Amino acid sequence: MSESGGPDVTQELRLPWDDDPEDLYEHAPCGYLTTLPDGTIVRVNETFLTWTGYTRADLIGHRRFRDLLTPGDQIFHETHYAPLLAMQGEVHEIALEVVGTDGRRLPTLVNSVLERGPSGAPRIIRTMVFNATERRGYERELLAARRAAESSEQRVQVLQQIVADLAAAPTEAEVAEAVVRAPEPAFQAASTSIYLFDADGDQLVAVASTDPTTGNWDDMPRSSTRAVAEVARRGDLHVIGTVAEAEAHFPDLAESMRRSQRGTVVLLPLTTGPSDDQRGPVVLGVLAFSFREERVLTGGELRVIRLLGQQAGQALDRARLYDDARRREERSTFLARTTRALDEEHRLLQRARRLVERMVPEIADWALVRLQVGPAGLVEHHGGPAPDPARIEARTAEAIESAAPVFAVDGDGLGCTVLPLIVRGRVLGTLALRMAPDRRGAETERLFLIDLADRAALACENARLYEQERAIARTLQRSLLAADVPGTDPRFVVETHYQAASQDMEVGGDWYDAFLITANKLAVVVGDVVGRGIEAATTMGQLRSAIRALASAENGPARLLEGLDRFCDRVDSARMATLVYVEVDLLSNEMAFACAGHLPPLLHEPAGSPQYLMQGRSAPLGSRAGDVRRVEQRLRLAPGSRLLLYTDGLIERRGRGIDRGFEILAREYARRRDAPLKGLAAGLADTLVGRDHSDDVCLLCLTLGTEERLERSIGADPLQIALLRADMRGWLAGHGVDQDCLNAVLLACSEAVANSIEHGYQDDPFGVVDVAATISPDTVEIRVADRGRWRGPGNDVARGRGLQLIYESMDEVAFDRAGEGTTVIMRRHRGES
């Protein structure tokens, strides 16, 4: 009985060891070998002999085991197998190839055991050899399947990445760049090119390639007989497997394949739209890629390739829609920005210049605007190089005559589009543009250019009309500003300055006037009329005339303002105008003044600091609010006092309080106390306002009486000498100096100052020359002092006869170099020649 309770059947089995052990050895399902430690075969079974074709006589005692291996495995036996066996005493499942008598290779798996004798020395090696032929086949099949799966997975991954790239590519160019990179990693293609269909030109445009030298890399009409155009017309995948196949259908492609050593070419149309549509899919381009060897594509690869064409076509369609929307937005933005940029410029010349600068390089590489205004016209251009003048003139004449755009077309030799600038049915001028070839024929570009020309024409016409009105207003304003300011009376000097706003096309209402009411009473006035343009200039002229009519020796400033209030009842445009009116008695130096809503006058007497005259103030002209009574203020002025009247454009600024403006004006006015009166008003305007300002500026500076002592400080600039001469001439004339003495003093003083500038400061722009002049009944004394290193009379080569003229003009000349710099003291007796 067995342990489980059933009958004991082992007695009926025939045990393996009941067989002949020798037979088991000889016909075992594996090969057995016994070798000496050096590998010499001493025993081998029949199974191994059958597998290899050897006989026992061939092997036993004549061959070592390693001699039966391939050359590579013999090296492996020597470097790995034998050392491992010696070190470990056994090795298992070593893959070796045994070479049979017929030269065939038998894949095997080898297990070996090293037996040692009693002393531990190697005695024999027992080796078991398994036939691994079928296993190697299974492995190859598994490896091939694995490689196919990996290749398919790689293609899927590449395709997924390409689909992701296509989804993220917003423009046609980026889609093309993503598509052209796909075949090489997905199918191991050698090179790739992509052609896109241009609907406006009805052609296939070569846009990207990984190797442009491998084919006919240029644009082609869609009707071309070349392979790319043929596939684009058919709309289906085409694989040219061999050069011979290409020779039969596309000779140009065959020549290209031979030249670039390509074996197979794939032409894939990039399509969009459902394939079951009766009209068929829409072809947007062609992807061409090639292989160096002849390649047979599997069905799976062809399906992936077609899928790539569909995905790329859909991405192209989406990108083109996006590109079109983006271009429309860019055109709209460009038109809006150009319109704003032109509106920022008020003058016609600046608008024309801004127009061509906006064109280049954003939409053209050369632009020219020609306006038919004035006797000579106006021409502005930008970019380059300029086209042939005669041909552009001919095209311009054609556009003017036809009053219609003349668009550039490919092959016309000029490449320029000429657009007429038409306003109210009249051709104001032309705009010529040389654009890139890809923008010349598109219908959307033509509509964009027409819209651009309409906007440019309107902007230029508005600027022309503004300039015309501005010129009229300026002419009127200039004619109304006082041009006959008294200037020959030695008892006073009037210096005026008017500066129009640079950022406004219209003139303002700022004005000044100076006139003698009687032989001994002087009136000066500065005012500002509300509004701008011709109406403001006309009102200014009416106010000026009204003031002259109302001014009299008896009325005074307050009564004059009351008369102007009544005048505003009849001339409503004069209402709310502001002005400051001053009357000066030239015999007593008494001044009476009144301010009607205007900024206070600034007085600087010979001694002391400048002060604002805040008295005598009342409301603007014609004001009906508050206290409408008119008041005036009187005060006596010292000889040499300077009175400044000005308008608000001199001190008012956005972002700055008016008190700060008053402080700056007083400081700058005080700093110029010793400056020549000539140019004082212009210098103040240039310092406080500059040339780029948004409001008109009007100044009137009155110097009353003749100073007992003339003191002036000028910069080391030869241009300042003329201003000093004008100031000194008035001072000398005011003191009754005879003409000969006056001319001599002016000549000597000018030469002395010039010497100080040239030799004392040696062209140092920061140097200062001080001039002091005193007068007595018998003598005029002039002192010219500098603080530089003067070269002295012995080195006065550069000025020629400068010192000689000083000595000849003056009766006494002395040089004082005791302190810093040099002082020249010159005297001239009055009444002597």
Side-chain angles (χ1 to χ4, degrees), residues 561-831:
L561 293 184
E562 292 173 355
L564 290 179
D565 286 332
R566 294 189 294 272
F567 172 79
C568 290
D569 293 336
R570 299 188 300 274
V571 182
D572 193 66
S573 59
R575 193 174 302 279
M576 300 307 294
T578 67
L579 62 86
V580 55
Y581 175 77
V582 180
E583 290 182 355
V584 180
D585 189 326
L586 300 177
L587 297 178
S588 63
N589 281 356
E590 184 181 51
M591 180 182 78
F593 67 93
C595 286
H598 204 79
L599 298 176
L602 182 58
L603 175 64
H604 196 179
E605 294 189 284
S609 302
Q611 58 178 330
Y612 289 99
L613 304 180
M614 305 300 295
Q615 305 84 10
R617 301 191 61 78
S618 55
L621 297 181
S623 174
R624 300 188 179 96
D627 190 355
V628 296
R629 293 175 299 175
R630 298 300 179 181
V631 295
E632 63 183 51
Q633 181 70 22
R634 295 180 178 272
L635 70 156
R636 189 175 301 279
L637 301 179
S641 298
R642 287 182 174 179
L643 181 69
L644 180 68
L645 311 181
Y646 53 94
T647 56
D648 54 6
L650 184 66
I651 63 171
E652 290 185 354
R653 298 290 181 273
R654 290 183 180 180
R656 186 182 74 186
I658 193 170
D659 290 338
R660 178 59 177 162
F662 282 139
E663 292 175 6
I664 295 174
L665 174 58
R667 184 179 67 244
E668 291 298 324
Y669 194 47
R671 193 170 63 85
R672 288 171 168 78
R673 180 64 184 88
D674 295 333
L677 181 63
K678 185 71 173 177
L680 174 64
L684 279 173
D686 190 55
T687 300
L688 272 68
V689 179
R691 297 300 174 186
D692 186 15
H693 54 96
S694 58
D695 198 4
D696 294 352
V697 177
C698 184
L699 298 92
L700 184 149
C701 188
L702 169 67
T703 298
L704 186 63
T706 304
E707 302 167 74
E708 293 299 324
R709 176 183 175 87
L710 180 72
E711 294 183 350
R712 299 290 184 262
S713 297
I714 66 172
D717 181 359
L719 297 178
Q720 296 288 321
I721 298 177
L723 303 179
L724 176 66
R725 286 171 59 91
D727 217 16
M728 185 170 288
R729 182 186 295 277
W731 181 78
L732 292 172
H735 282 282
V737 176
D738 62 279
Q739 193 65 37
D740 289 343
C741 179
L742 184 149
N743 291 336
V745 170
L746 289 179
L747 176 60
C749 181
S750 300
E751 291 295 331
V753 172
N755 268 354
S756 294
I757 293 174
E758 183 173 351
H759 296 286
Y761 291 109
Q762 302 180 30
D763 300 324
D764 179 7
F766 299 103
V768 175
V769 179
D770 297 319
V771 179
T774 57
I775 195 165
S776 67
D778 300 324
T779 306
V780 177
E781 180 180 288
I782 306 295
R783 289 175 177 262
V784 178
D786 63 69
R787 289 174 288 279
R789 297 177 59 189
W790 204 68
R791 296 178 182 177
N795 295 326
D796 190 24
V797 179
R799 292 214 46 81
R801 300 178 60 246
L803 289 180
Q804 183 179 351
L805 290 175
I806 294 175
Y807 282 114
E808 291 177 355
S809 300
M810 305 300 284
D811 297 316
E812 300 176 25
V813 179
F815 292 89
D816 182 3
R817 299 187 179 88
E820 181 184 3
T822 300
T823 301
V824 183
I825 306 164
M826 304 172 288
R827 296 185 182 89
R828 169 81 183 201
H829 299 301
R830 300 175 63 178

Side-chain angles (χ1 to χ4, degrees), residues 65-79 96-99 103-105:
F65 176 65
R66 62 172 299 223
D67 296 336
L68 305 180
L69 304 177
T70 62
D73 284 348
Q74 290 180 11
I75 296 175
F76 182 82
H77 183 281
E78 180 181 347
T79 58
L96 299 173
E97 286 190 340
V98 177
V99 180
R104 288 186 302 107
R105 296 184 177 188

Side-chain angles (χ1 to χ4, degrees), residues 109-123:
L109 289 177
V110 175
N111 295 336
S112 296
V113 177
L114 174 63
E115 291 187 5
R116 299 179 181 274
S119 63
R123 189 168 66 89

Side-chain angles (χ1 to χ4, degrees), residues 151 154-156 158-159 181-190 192 266 268 287 289-291 293 295 297-298 300-308:
S151 178
Q154 180 183 6
R155 283 195 297 271
V156 171
V158 171
L159 185 61
R181 294 196 304 264
E184 294 186 20
F187 310 106
Q188 290 73 52
T192 308
V266 177
L268 173 66
L287 180 68
F289 57 94
S290 59
F291 304 92
E293 71 285 348
R295 174 82 173 270
L297 298 171
T298 66
E301 289 176 324
L302 292 176
R303 286 192 296 272
V304 172
I305 290 173
R306 284 193 171 90
L307 182 60
L308 173 62

Side-chain angles (χ1 to χ4, degrees), residues 25-187:
Y25 173 80
E26 291 293 339
H27 299 94
C30 60
Y32 283 104
L33 296 95
T34 302
T35 64
L36 298 177
D38 66 353
T40 302
I41 299 173
V42 295
R43 189 175 183 184
V44 60
N45 71 345
E46 187 64 27
T47 301
F48 184 82
L49 296 174
T50 302
W51 287 348
T52 60
Y54 289 105
T55 65
R56 283 186 173 83
D58 295 332
L59 299 180
I60 294 176
H62 296 88
R63 296 286 188 92
R64 293 175 300 176
F65 176 65
R66 62 172 299 223
D67 296 336
L68 305 180
L69 304 177
T70 62
D73 284 348
Q74 290 180 11
I75 296 175
F76 182 82
H77 183 281
E78 180 181 347
T79 58
H80 291 77
Y81 174 89
L84 282 175
L85 184 61
M87 182 173 58
Q88 298 177 0
E90 58 184 18
V91 294
H92 301 284
E93 295 185 349
I94 301 297
L96 299 173
E97 286 190 340
V98 177
V99 180
T101 56
D102 57 359
R104 288 186 302 107
R105 296 184 177 188
L106 175 68
T108 64
L109 289 177
V110 175
N111 295 336
S112 296
V113 177
L114 174 63
E115 291 187 5
R116 299 179 181 274
S119 63
R123 189 168 66 89
I124 60 171
I125 300 174
R126 300 185 186 278
T127 300
M128 184 182 297
V129 179
F130 294 94
N131 189 338
T133 302
E134 292 184 3
R135 175 173 176 168
R136 187 67 59 87
Y138 297 150
E139 289 178 348
R140 280 195 293 266
E141 291 176 5
L142 289 174
L143 182 59
R146 180 179 178 181
R147 288 175 178 172
E150 290 176 348
S151 178
S152 177
E153 182 181 1
Q154 180 183 6
R155 283 195 297 271
V156 171
Q157 289 177 349
V158 171
L159 185 61
Q160 289 175 340
Q161 183 61 47
I162 293 299
V163 171
D165 292 342
L166 293 176
T171 65
E172 187 177 75
E174 290 173 310
V175 170
E177 187 64 28
V179 174
V180 83
R181 294 196 304 264
E184 294 186 20
F187 310 106

